[in-house]
Structure formats: structure tokens, C-alpha cells
Amino acid sequence: MRLNLRIWRQSGPQSPGEKVTYQVDDVSPDMSFLEMLDVLNERLTVEGEDPVAFDHDCREGICGMCSLMINGRAHGPQRATTTCQLHMRQFKDGDTIEIDPWRASAFPVVKDLVVDRSAFDDIISSGGYVSAPTGSAPDAHSTPIPKDDADNAFANAACIGCGACVAACPNGSASLFTAAKVTHLNSLPQGQPERHQRVINMVETADEAGFGGCTLTGECADACPKDIPLSSISVLNREYLKASVKVTRH
């Protein structure tokens, strides 16, 4: 296939950016989207041009690094798929593809398609942990957990922290990400000691980072490559209201 790529290029956080058009020939339908960008970057390097900066790591749909807006959709046109797992068979010969970084005030552009997602790290640091007693590991199934609770925790633990929910949200909200982390840990017995302080800390940290408020428009869940349920945000809201009554701030 021959494709026309319109890619956002920005040399640094304070530099103005612009869309630059590149033509890529001989694209195999079996290539992943990132492999197609690798082909472009190899050509740019040979030609003495600056390659396009983009985030990537595992390329197996696990790490959440491959953060790209493709034709206005986080991770591209295929539902429940990360950019690294998106194959070029989803496009047609001669297509023009618009490629942009995540757009959110809490995710400033570092260079080209790379954004700073350290605000997510701050949210996790503020409450994404459990009390860990020292000693040997407990026996399997020593703490019975109802199946519904286990299933709920597992569904939310699937979040890979890619930030697609923020990029897709018209408000730039991190509510689905925060909800996934809170729901995962608060559903389990191990998460109960920090239950109330966790949700208070994580929500307040998200607010301080500059993420917008949630209006339940649903774009976050639609864009999520791991299908984190939108209902988790309702769980987050209930947990926060309960914690607000129980936790005394100093």
C-alpha cells in the first residue's frame, strides 16, 4: 500500500508545532502501525532528517506506551486495540492518515507524538498501593473473595494507564483511569485499610494535576483499549462521597 501520513511535528515543549506530510510506499497490510512508523523513520534517518518521536515499549498491547491519536481516534479505528496491535489492514491503499499526540492540558507535548504522562504516576503514588505485611507469602485462597468482587477487581486491573481515556474525553478527565485503580483495590480485602484515604488522595491529586471534570459522556470507555467499564466512574463517585464523610483532612 501507499499511504499519506500527516504527522504532528514539534521539536520541544515550548516550540510551535505543525502538521508535516510524508508518503510511505510498500506498506504491508500485516505491519503493525508502529512498524509502519519504523519504516518511515528508517527512511528519514537515511535522508539525514529528524525521525518522528513516538512512545513505544512492549509492542504487545500490555504497557500502554503507544499513545497516538489516529484520524481523531485514540489508538485508531479498531475497538479495544492498542496502537501497537493495530494492523495496516485497517486502512486502504492511498489513504491519508492524521497522526497526533494525546491532547490534554495535563499531558504536555514533549516532542512530536510524545507526551508527558507523569501525572498518572502521581495519581498512582498518592493511593495505588496496599499495606504489605512482611513474612512469607500466604497460602493460595487463604483469603476468600466473592466471585463478583474478584471479577470486578480483575476487570479494572486490566487498565494499562495509556491515557486514551483522557485524550478521548472532551473535558480531559482522568476519571476512568482513577476509577479503575480505585475500584480494583477497593474491591479486594487487601485494599481495605487504605480504602477511604486512597480515593480522597487519588481524586485530589488528579484535580491538582489539571485533569478536567467528568460529565459521563462515555468517550473514555469507548476509546479504552482494555474495555474498562464506564460504570467504574459511578463506583469512584460513591467511594469518594463515603470517604469524604469518614476522612478528616488536616
Side-chain angles (χ1 to χ4, degrees):
M1 295 188 297
R2 172 178 291 180
L3 298 170
N4 298 306
L5 309 179
R6 284 177 41 80
I7 302 177
W8 182 260
R9 301 302 308 263
Q10 184 172 338
S11 61
Q14 307 304 321
S15 304
E18 63 176 347
K19 279 289 185 71
V20 178
T21 302
Y22 302 96
Q23 182 175 291
V24 182
D25 300 322
D26 299 325
V27 175
S28 167
D30 296 325
M31 283 181 178
S32 74
F33 201 88
L34 297 190
E35 287 173 332
M36 181 273 297
L37 290 178
D38 288 338
V39 170
L40 170 64
N41 277 346
E42 288 174 5
R43 192 191 83 201
L44 293 177
T45 300
V46 169
E47 294 173 352
E49 297 185 40
D50 191 26
V52 177
F54 61 92
D55 271 329
H56 62 94
D57 192 3
C58 75
R59 300 201 178 199
E60 295 179 349
I62 298 171
C63 71
M65 291 293 289
C66 53
S67 52
L68 297 180
M69 292 293 288
I70 302 169
N71 288 341
R73 182 174 176 83
H75 291 301
Q78 189 171 3
R79 268 191 55 81
T81 303
T82 54
T83 300
C84 62
Q85 296 290 285
L86 178 69
H87 288 86
M88 299 313 297
R89 65 180 69 99
Q90 297 294 323
F91 304 93
K92 300 189 298 292
D93 182 43
D95 276 357
T96 295
I97 305 175
E98 302 282 343
I99 308 173
D100 294 275
W102 287 166
R103 297 293 188 185
S105 59
F107 288 163
V109 173
V110 176
K111 182 179 180 180
D112 295 339
L113 305 174
V114 178
V115 300
D116 180 357
R117 286 173 287 182
S118 60
F120 270 9
D121 298 330
D122 294 337
I123 294 174
I124 291 295
S125 297
S126 70
Y129 53 84
V130 298
S131 297
T134 58
S136 61
D139 293 335
H141 307 304
S142 62
T143 304
I145 300 173
K147 186 176 187 306
D148 287 346
D149 291 344
D151 288 346
N152 193 36
F154 187 82
N156 284 276
C159 172
I160 57 176
C162 66
C165 52
V166 177
C169 176
N171 307 321
S173 173
S175 290
L176 190 67
F177 169 78
T178 307
K181 302 307 177 182
V182 167
T183 305
H184 165 211
L185 294 175
N186 284 14
S187 297
L188 300 173
Q190 296 88 339
Q192 299 313 302
E194 295 86 12
R195 178 173 190 151
H196 300 305
Q197 193 63 59
R198 172 183 298 114
V199 66
I200 291 290
N201 290 349
M202 295 182 88
V203 169
E204 291 185 351
T205 300
D207 290 342
E208 291 167 2
F211 291 105
C214 175
T215 51
L216 283 177
T217 55
E219 279 90 342
C220 54
D222 184 59
C224 177
K226 297 302 177 181
D227 277 334
I228 304 301
L230 185 64
S231 59
S232 295
I233 296 178
S234 297
V235 175
L236 173 69
N237 291 336
R238 288 196 300 271
E239 290 286 325
Y240 184 78
L241 287 173
K242 291 177 184 176
S244 297
V245 174
K246 295 179 179 293
V247 174
T248 302
R249 297 178 179 80
H250 299 285

